């Protein structure tokens, strides 16, 4: 059965001549509005923008063109005709033809982005290019300098960066050969085969991929891009600065380009925004709605046509390479202990923080500390046990700040003593906060992440008590065991959406939860005396919340499933898995005594 053809926009066709080369152009929208110029890469044509151009044309004059060697444009035979100098000349020729009086806003992908970097690095760029959205395409001069810098100071991390990029770029070496790549690409150039290839490497829906009838020919002709530019730029980089505003969209799962190669961009781009997402190379096909939204938000900022969108504001916070920079993070129970230390750790990494707590004053204090660390932070009052209030809170955060990239469901309370001695009120409160609150936060923000479609991460704070049975912590253990198994199940459910879920299981950590934990079955005086003894014991143990925060950050960065924290938690986790009878013997000890 043949695939259904993608509906083409109603393009207005034209031509522009650049240095004797005829370039096919395609226009949408009102030509009196600001012009957005769309530049494709290899092996695409203007068809790459099929899903994006119509939405942009609702607000802007949109122009796409087939780069030389592709689609309906001319195909010079000499390899030298595909140098970045020639390609940048083409871009300027199209821009001056379709928008003779005003600078254009450029959105480019892959080699389209590479050639636009060359264009914005020229002295005349400010007069002709108003802004630049770069997707899946580096500045080759920046890349060449990056490799030199990494090799010049060969730390293990630098060597890993170079090795990782070398492996991802291995195909570019193949493309330098004279005959073999031509043969391979003629086979890969069948549209059906190409669509299945994109589906296999990054899950691109075949029905989203729109290719020209000239695909096979475009693939082979486009080899000249690699042959004319890669070796020259890597061997003799000439990095230059630009003052054109740039939004750099970095795809963390790009099969060809590793995120680390963009870390030196701030050195050369004076006005830089950066957005990292767990997406692949062909973002215009895999997530066209998401990319269109980013472009529209950035253009609104550059044209002063609306309030800056939260996601773009966060991207502007990016001033130097930092893990997780620009991410929006929601943390419950952020007023103290593990929640506060996690907020501070993520603030140091350039995240924007939404901090919720039952004690608004303490959340405010954490927010002020995060601002001192250089990050934006917002404090909110929230009782996670109130499901309706939590649902409304999640909707409010989406409307005011956007969909969070990371959610840390940290709010929790303790309950010690025997199960039989606990009151119904104590049981209900414990489960409402520790388990139902985690479920609500995970569901509400998880739904938002799924709808957005570009992944995310959810962290749920469980406890070593989840796998360490105890006669004195039965109800607390039950609530945290529920969090652990819920998190593992949710991780499986959300894996297909590229949303990670981590369950953090701290052991004995010195936080204020101990001093406020009720102990069932004791009168007030005996309860306080026993709490004081426990509190002193935890203080002597000396494991502080900032160390747990470090484990949480690592779990986010490496997408870890279950993270026991502290020696006793790690030992207890393994005992429960491999020798559960030992856990049952230990459970008979009265740990609150």
């Amino acid at each position: 059965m043949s695939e259904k053809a993608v509906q083409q926009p109603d393009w207005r066709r034209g031509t522009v001549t650049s240095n004797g080369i005829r370039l096919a152009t395609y226009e949408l929208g009102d030509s009196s509005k600001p012009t957005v110029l769309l530049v494709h890469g290899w092996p695409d044509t203007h068809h790459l923008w099929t899903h994006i151009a119509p939405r942009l044309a609702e607000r802007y004059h949109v122009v796409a063109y087939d780069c030389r060697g592709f689609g309906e444009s001319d195909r010079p035979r000499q390899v030298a005709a595909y140098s970045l100098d020639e390609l940048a000349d083409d871009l300027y020729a199209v821009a001056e033809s379709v928008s003779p009086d005003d600078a254009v806003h450029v959105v480019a992908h892959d080699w389209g982005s590479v050639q636009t970097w060359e264009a914005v690095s020229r002295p005349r760029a400010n007069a002709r290019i108003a802004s630049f959205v770069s997707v899946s395409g580096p500045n080759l001069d920046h890349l060449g300098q990056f490799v030199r810098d990494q090799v010049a100071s060969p730390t293990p991390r630098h060597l890993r960066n170079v090795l990782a990029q070398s492996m991802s770029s291995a195909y570019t070496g193949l493309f330098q050969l004279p005959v073999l790549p031509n043969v391979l690409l003629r086979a890969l150039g069948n549209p059906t085969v190409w669509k299945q290839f994109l589906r296999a490497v990054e899950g691109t829906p075949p029905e989203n991929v729109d290719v020209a009838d000239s695909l096979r020919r475009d693939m082979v002709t486009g080899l000249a891009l690699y042959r004319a530019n890669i070796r020259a730029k890597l061997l003799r980089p000439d990095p230059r600065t630009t003052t054109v505003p740039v939004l750099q969209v970095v795809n963390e799962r790009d099969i060809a380009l590793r995120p680390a190669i963009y870390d030196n961009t701030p050195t050369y781009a004076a006005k830089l925004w950066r957005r990292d997402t767990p997406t692949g190379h062909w973002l215009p096909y895999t997530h066209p709605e998401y990319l269109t939204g980013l472009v529209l938000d950035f253009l609104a900022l550059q044209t002063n046509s609306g309030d800056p969108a939260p996601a773009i504001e966060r991207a502007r916070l990016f001033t130097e390479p930092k893990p997780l920079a620009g991410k929006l993070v929601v943390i419950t129970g952020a007023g103290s202990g593990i929640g506060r230390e996690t907020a501070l750790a993520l603030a140091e990494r350039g995240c924007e923080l939404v901090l919720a707590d039952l004690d608004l004053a303490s959340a405010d204090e954490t927010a002020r500390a995060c601002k001192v660390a250089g990050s934006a932070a917002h404090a909110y009052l929230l009782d996670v046990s109130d499901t309706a209030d939590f649902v409304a809170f999640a909707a409010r955060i989406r409307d005011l700040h956007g969909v969070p990239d990371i959610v840390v469901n940290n709010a929790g309370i303790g309950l010690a003593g025997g199960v039989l001695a606990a009151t119904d009120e104590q049981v209900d409160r414990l489960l409402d906060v520790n388990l139902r609150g985690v479920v609500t936060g995970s569901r509400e923000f998880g739904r938002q992440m799924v709808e957005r479609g570009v992944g995310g991460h959810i962290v749920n704070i469980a406890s070593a008590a989840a796998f360490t049975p105890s006669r004195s912590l039965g109800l607390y253990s039950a609530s945290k065991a529920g969090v652990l198994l819920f998190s593992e199940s949710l991780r499986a459910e959300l894996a297909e959406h590229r949303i990670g879920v981590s369950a953090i299981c701290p052991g004995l950590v010195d936080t204020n939860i101990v001093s406020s934990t009720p102990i069932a079955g004791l009168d007030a005086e005996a309860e306080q005396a026993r709490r004081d003894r426990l509190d002193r014991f935890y203080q002597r143990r000396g494991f502080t919340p900032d160390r747990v925060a470090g484990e949480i950050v690592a779990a986010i960065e490496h997408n870890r499933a279950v993270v026991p924290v502290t020696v006793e938690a790690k030992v207890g986790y393994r005992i429960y898995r491999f020798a559960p009878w030992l856990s049952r013997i230990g459970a008979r000890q009265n740990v609150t005594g």
Side-chain angles (χ1 to χ4, degrees), residues 529-541:
R530 190 165 294 180
R531 252 199 317 257
D532 290 343
R533 287 199 298 273
L534 280 172
D535 203 19
R536 287 192 296 270
F537 173 73
Y538 273 66
Q539 289 174 5
R540 288 195 301 271
R541 171 68 175 84

Side-chain angles (χ1 to χ4, degrees), residues 138-460:
N139 182 309
L140 289 187
D141 291 303
H142 298 177
L143 178 57
Q145 191 61 49
F146 165 83
V147 173
R148 287 191 170 199
D149 292 343
Q150 301 286 291
V151 173
S153 56
T155 66
R157 181 174 66 88
H158 289 171
L159 293 177
R160 285 196 301 271
N161 288 339
V162 173
L163 178 62
Q165 185 54 53
S166 298
M167 294 177 64
S168 294
S169 300
Y171 71 97
T172 64
L174 173 66
F175 284 2
Q176 306 295 321
L177 301 178
V179 178
L180 181 59
N182 301 51
V183 175
L184 294 176
L185 292 178
R186 285 192 175 95
L188 191 59
N190 178 288
T192 300
V193 174
W194 179 243
K195 292 178 182 181
Q196 292 305 317
F197 172 78
L198 294 184
R199 182 176 186 175
V201 297
E202 59 181 47
T204 309
E207 63 273 14
N208 281 12
V209 180
D210 186 23
V211 296
D213 294 336
S214 57
L215 176 64
R216 179 178 282 112
R217 191 180 179 195
D218 295 337
M219 282 186 168
V220 175
T221 304
L223 290 172
L225 294 172
Y226 297 87
R227 294 165 179 171
N229 299 292
I230 294 290
R231 284 176 292 179
K233 289 295 185 180
L234 293 184
L235 292 175
R236 295 179 296 277
D238 178 27
R240 292 148 288 163
T241 59
T242 181
T243 57
V244 172
V246 178
L247 170 61
Q248 192 169 55
V249 182
V250 177
N251 297 302
E252 297 168 346
R253 294 190 296 106
D254 195 316
I255 62 171
L257 301 164
R258 308 311 304 156
I261 68 172
Y262 302 105
D263 285 353
N264 66 353
T265 307
T267 304
Y268 308 107
K271 302 175 183 177
L272 178 66
W273 288 253
R274 173 168 164 167
R275 179 63 179 169
D276 292 31
T277 55
T279 46
H281 185 80
W282 269 273
L283 193 61
Y285 286 148
T286 57
H287 299 89
E289 291 295 322
Y290 172 74
L291 178 57
T292 303
L294 278 182
V295 171
L296 287 172
D297 289 343
F298 187 64
L299 292 177
L301 179 64
Q302 301 307 319
T303 59
N304 298 313
S305 57
D307 293 331
I312 295 301
E313 285 290 279
R314 283 191 294 279
R316 190 66 179 101
L317 296 176
F318 181 88
T319 55
E320 61 180 273
K322 291 182 180 180
L324 307 178
K327 304 289 188 184
L328 177 63
V329 182
V330 175
I331 304 176
T332 65
S336 62
I338 294 172
R340 173 174 290 181
E341 295 300 329
T342 302
L344 292 173
L346 291 171
E348 291 176 356
R349 285 160 175 77
C351 297
E352 181 175 356
L353 287 308
V354 172
L355 308 171
D357 200 282
L358 189 59
D359 181 353
L360 182 58
S362 66
D364 271 324
E365 186 177 340
T366 303
R368 287 193 296 271
C370 291
K371 291 173 183 176
V372 170
S375 287
H378 319 274
Y380 289 89
L381 177 67
L382 176 67
D383 180 355
V384 299
S385 69
D386 186 334
T387 301
D389 189 40
F390 206 158
V391 170
F393 168 79
R396 185 181 180 195
I397 297 308
R398 179 195 58 212
D399 295 341
L400 293 178
H401 304 286
V403 176
D405 303 290
I406 301 166
V407 173
V408 182
N409 290 303
N410 166 72
I413 61 174
L415 177 62
V419 171
L420 305 185
T423 67
D424 289 342
E425 291 76 11
Q426 288 175 323
V427 174
D428 290 343
R429 179 66 180 165
L430 178 77
L431 296 179
D432 284 346
V433 173
N434 286 9
L435 183 55
R436 185 58 188 265
V438 169
V439 170
T440 302
S442 299
R443 292 177 72 207
E444 294 305 311
F445 289 116
R447 286 166 175 163
Q448 293 181 17
M449 292 176 181
V450 169
E451 183 179 1
R452 182 179 60 177
V454 294
H457 203 96
I458 297 172
V459 176
N460 294 328

Side-chain angles (χ1 to χ4, degrees), residues 23 40 62 111 130 142 151 160 169 237 270 345 401 453 478 499 556 575 581:
L23 304 171
H40 69 82
V62 176
W111 273 98
H142 298 177
V151 173
R160 285 196 301 271
S169 300
H401 304 286
I499 300 171
I556 295 168
I575 288 175
W581 57 273

